[in-house]
Amino acid sequence: MLALMLPAQADDIHPQKVVKSVSDVVLAEILANKEKLDQGPEFLLSLVETRMLPIIDQERMSQLALGKYWADINDKQRADFAEGFKRLLIKTYAGAFKAYTGQDVTYGETRFNKSGDKAIVSSDIHVAGGSPVNLQYRLYQPKPGQWLVYDATIAGLGLIRTYRAQFSDQIERDGIDKTISELQSVQL
């Protein structure tokens, strides 16, 4: 269970700062380049890949999304799955950012686990005339001074949990190789 507490090392980069700084840059670039957004998906896809992906542990997310099947596949299948999953993540994040039109984003208290090496950064996107949409980023600290995202929850819906259920159903129905092949064919 995560509780409010100070990080283990005060000189470490704070996980909220990691998420907020990247989000601020991405959202500012979206607002400053509306004409590029209207020309096609390339600008937004590139923005997600160059700005968002560096703070995401893609291999860990791939492993968590594949769940129990990760242990049963070989290194090539893992690499192919991870590459396809990366494409899916880029497309997912780009789709979410496409709807952004300048709404205010606020951040709540960051919660840390007891050892201080995992955190949940919570933010709210304030929609005019509606309830705020809550986003929670789950991060871990692979080494001091570095925080990486390994899951996100949007309005209570966990990204990894959702993908794990989808992949599990598809693998049971079609097998791992076809699942990987379809994932790699995701159009950006």
Side-chain angles (χ1 to χ4, degrees), residues 6 70 75 80 93 152 185:
L6 293 174
W70 187 262
D75 289 343
D80 290 346
Y93 281 112
S185 70

Side-chain angles (χ1 to χ4, degrees), residues 61-62 64-65 85 150-152 158-165:
M61 285 186 85
S62 295
L64 292 170
F85 190 61
Y150 68 91
D151 195 8
L159 190 67
I160 293 299
R161 182 178 293 170
T162 299
Y163 282 133
R164 185 182 306 131

Side-chain angles (χ1 to χ4, degrees), residues 5-15 17 112 115-116 141 144-145 147:
M5 54 190 301
L6 293 174
Q9 298 176 13
D11 61 345
D12 286 348
I13 295 173
H14 196 278
K17 184 177 181 180
F112 294 87
S115 62
Q141 193 174 37
W147 288 93

Side-chain angles (χ1 to χ4, degrees), residues 50 74 94-95 122 127 144 166 181 185:
T50 59
N74 62 44
S122 184
V127 181
Q166 289 174 2
S181 176
S185 70

Side-chain angles (χ1 to χ4, degrees), residues 2 6 25 50 52 56 58 61 64 75 87 97 103 112 122 127 135-136 142 151 158 162 169 178 183 187:
L2 294 173
L6 293 174
V25 167
T50 59
M52 292 291 298
I56 295 174
Q58 298 165 51
M61 285 186 85
L64 292 170
D75 289 343
R87 294 173 62 81
F97 283 126
Q103 297 88 343
F112 294 87
S122 184
V127 181
L135 280 87
Q136 293 184 342
D151 195 8
T162 299
D169 288 347
K178 186 171 182 185
L183 190 57
Q187 295 296 311

Side-chain angles (χ1 to χ4, degrees), residues 44-188:
L44 196 50
L45 295 170
S46 174
L47 187 60
V48 169
E49 186 165 15
T50 59
R51 301 293 188 169
M52 292 291 298
L53 289 188
I55 67 162
I56 295 174
D57 186 335
Q58 298 165 51
E59 183 175 343
R60 186 171 184 169
M61 285 186 85
S62 295
Q63 183 176 356
L64 292 170
L66 201 53
K68 65 182 181 181
Y69 299 101
W70 187 262
D72 297 334
I73 61 176
N74 62 44
D75 289 343
K76 179 169 179 5
Q77 289 171 313
R78 286 179 181 167
D80 290 346
F81 179 86
E83 183 59 34
F85 190 61
K86 173 184 168 182
R87 294 173 62 81
L88 183 60
L89 285 176
I90 291 170
K91 186 175 181 177
T92 299
Y93 281 112
F97 283 126
K98 188 173 184 174
Y100 182 73
T101 57
Q103 297 88 343
D104 285 333
V105 179
T106 57
Y107 291 85
E109 292 290 329
T110 298
R111 297 180 292 162
F112 294 87
N113 66 351
K114 287 182 182 182
S115 62
D117 63 350
K118 288 186 179 179
I120 297 176
V121 173
S122 184
S123 66
D124 290 313
I125 299 174
H126 299 275
V127 181
S131 298
V133 177
N134 181 259
L135 280 87
Q136 293 184 342
Y137 301 90
R138 295 183 184 277
L139 297 92
Y140 79 107
Q141 193 174 37
K143 60 184 178 183
Q146 180 185 30
W147 288 93
L148 295 175
V149 174
Y150 68 91
D151 195 8
T153 302
I154 302 169
L157 188 62
L159 190 67
I160 293 299
R161 182 178 293 170
T162 299
Y163 282 133
R164 185 182 306 131
Q166 289 174 2
F167 292 140
S168 181
D169 288 347
Q170 187 173 2
I171 291 167
E172 291 298 319
R173 184 181 63 245
D174 300 329
I176 189 70
D177 289 325
K178 186 171 182 185
T179 300
I180 292 170
S181 176
E182 287 183 13
L183 190 57
Q184 288 187 311
S185 70
V186 168
Q187 295 296 311
L188 295 178

